[in-house]
Amino acid sequence: MKEINFTIEESAKGRLDKVIAENVADLTRSQVQNLIKKGQILVNDTPTTNRYQVKPNDQVIIKLPDPVAIDVQPEKMDLDIVYEDDDVIVVNKPQGMVVHPAPGHDHGTLVNGLLAHTPLATINGELRPGIVHRIDKDTSGLLMVAKNDQALVSLSKQLKDKTNQRKYWAIVHGNIKEDTGTINAPIGRSKKDRKKMAINEEGRPAVTHFKVLERFGEYTLIECQLETGRTHQIRVHLKYIGHPVAGDPLYGPRKTLKGNGQFLHAKLLGFKHPRTGEEMVFEVDPPAIFQTTLKKLRAISD
């Protein structure tokens, strides 16, 4: 078991789970809360609760359980590789594919396929080699993956500094009247359903910009640009404003467009090359079912 020890600074204020999530890399607030409930986080050598208000000079000990070992095996797959060089690979992920292995899901992922094709960066662990960012299983589109540690550090920093570009297309329920808009609402784990994320004042800041591309009466095609990258961010934000993504099994209505999950596609990806600094932008069309559905909506609305 690994231990992390640190002292609460004079400027730190607020709940214990929030302060730890803000100061310890790779620990989300929900993970911190679970560790506190299990008694694996001590304050001044004493177990406490999530609601504990930190005080200057509090001594915090975090006991991290040993990771579950998973033997990630390369698997030959037909990958849609949009771009590749010695440092980075850009992949168009299909709907239905998980990005990286996890306990209980150790094969058939994008990482398994990539490892059969090329070596990947290793500094972010054996389960997520080379992975800079993720998209949901049933979301299609572009991902940048690092082939070495230098590239991973550079691409991850761009993501953190919000200097890269990520634009998505989504078909949503309802007629969005505004041509453009910004959704600024914090996202955290749902208190009612732990499988879901939700708008939560105690969550992490999340900002999504959107632009209407086409209107079809009962549905609208929009482009979303991410300023932050929270779990399920676009899906949660669009539900929040009353226009959930069509086909979304978690956040959308049951009566919806037929498809293979949510009609959400990572269409454009831009970043600076980690070695040369060259601005690189890639764009891919949505999958066939997305395009076919758009044609049907256009025909109905004409």
Side-chain angles (χ1 to χ4, degrees):
M1 182 172 286
K2 175 184 175 182
E3 283 193 3
I4 299 175
N5 299 270
F6 71 96
T7 302
I8 299 295
E9 297 179 353
E10 292 283 344
S11 59
K13 295 180 180 180
R15 287 172 44 136
L16 178 65
D17 55 349
K18 178 176 180 290
V19 172
I20 292 177
E22 290 175 347
N23 288 275
V24 180
D26 297 328
L27 274 183
T28 66
R29 194 164 179 177
S30 60
Q31 289 172 327
V32 172
Q33 290 171 347
N34 287 333
L35 289 171
I36 291 173
K37 289 178 183 177
K38 293 177 181 178
Q40 292 176 277
I41 295 181
L42 308 179
V43 179
N44 303 323
D45 294 323
T46 304
T48 185
T49 67
N50 293 318
R51 295 181 179 276
Y52 174 80
Q53 299 289 315
V54 300
K55 301 178 181 64
N57 300 315
D58 275 344
Q59 300 296 311
V60 179
I61 300 175
I62 305 172
K63 298 180 179 181
L64 296 174
D66 295 328
V68 178
I70 295 179
D71 187 14
V72 182
Q73 295 294 324
E75 298 177 37
K76 288 189 176 181
M77 299 179 187
D78 291 327
L79 300 175
D80 185 359
I81 297 173
V82 178
Y83 174 82
E84 182 177 12
D85 61 25
D86 292 339
D87 300 293
V88 65
I89 182 168
V90 178
V91 183
N92 181 20
K93 187 191 81 68
Q95 277 188 307
M97 178 180 281
V98 174
V99 171
H100 63 76
H105 197 121
D106 60 356
H107 65 279
T109 73
L110 179 63
V111 162
N112 294 108
L114 285 170
L115 286 174
H117 174 76
T118 181
L120 300 173
T122 59
I123 58 173
N124 58 344
E126 63 175 11
L127 298 184
R128 298 184 295 170
I131 298 302
V132 181
H133 62 124
R134 292 169 286 179
I135 54 178
D136 300 331
K137 174 185 175 183
D138 292 327
T139 299
S140 58
L142 293 169
L143 282 169
M144 54 183 173
V145 181
K147 296 176 70 171
N148 55 61
D149 292 347
Q150 176 190 347
L152 182 64
V153 170
S154 173
L155 295 174
S156 297
K157 187 176 188 302
Q158 292 179 49
L159 202 66
K160 182 179 180 180
D161 293 344
K162 305 174 185 176
T163 58
N164 65 342
Q165 297 183 63
R166 285 175 294 163
K167 293 183 179 181
Y168 292 70
W169 274 17
I171 302 175
V172 303
H173 282 269
N175 183 7
I176 298 181
K177 296 179 180 179
E178 301 85 3
D179 291 335
T180 61
T182 295
I183 309 166
N184 187 345
I187 293 176
R189 186 68 58 180
S190 170
K191 296 179 181 179
K192 297 180 180 179
D193 185 344
R194 302 302 294 174
K195 294 180 181 180
K196 293 183 178 182
M197 306 301 288
I199 302 303
N200 186 336
E201 291 184 359
E202 298 173 353
R204 302 175 71 187
V207 180
T208 305
H209 307 284
F210 69 84
K211 177 175 67 175
V212 170
L213 301 179
E214 292 184 65
R215 293 182 174 90
F216 309 107
E218 294 183 3
Y219 297 92
T220 305
L221 174 66
I222 64 172
E223 177 183 88
C224 294
Q225 183 164 355
L226 291 180
E227 187 171 313
T228 54
R230 309 304 176 210
T231 301
H232 299 175
Q233 177 172 316
I234 292 175
R235 300 164 65 188
V236 173
H237 269 175
L238 291 174
K239 178 188 177 183
Y240 175 64
I241 65 170
H243 296 282
V245 179
D248 191 328
L250 273 182
Y251 304 104
R254 291 185 178 182
K255 186 177 180 181
T256 187
L257 298 175
K258 293 182 179 180
N260 300 321
Q262 60 268 8
F263 284 85
L264 182 61
H265 173 70
K267 192 173 193 299
L268 184 145
L269 176 66
F271 55 88
K272 283 187 177 180
H273 191 277
R275 188 180 301 272
T276 67
E278 177 188 357
E279 291 281 358
M280 310 189 76
V281 179
F282 304 94
E283 192 168 358
V284 292
D285 290 331
I289 192 166
F290 196 118
Q291 296 187 56
T292 300
T293 300
L294 282 178
K295 289 180 181 178
K296 291 179 180 178
L297 290 173
R298 287 173 184 138
I300 294 172
S301 61
D302 284 346

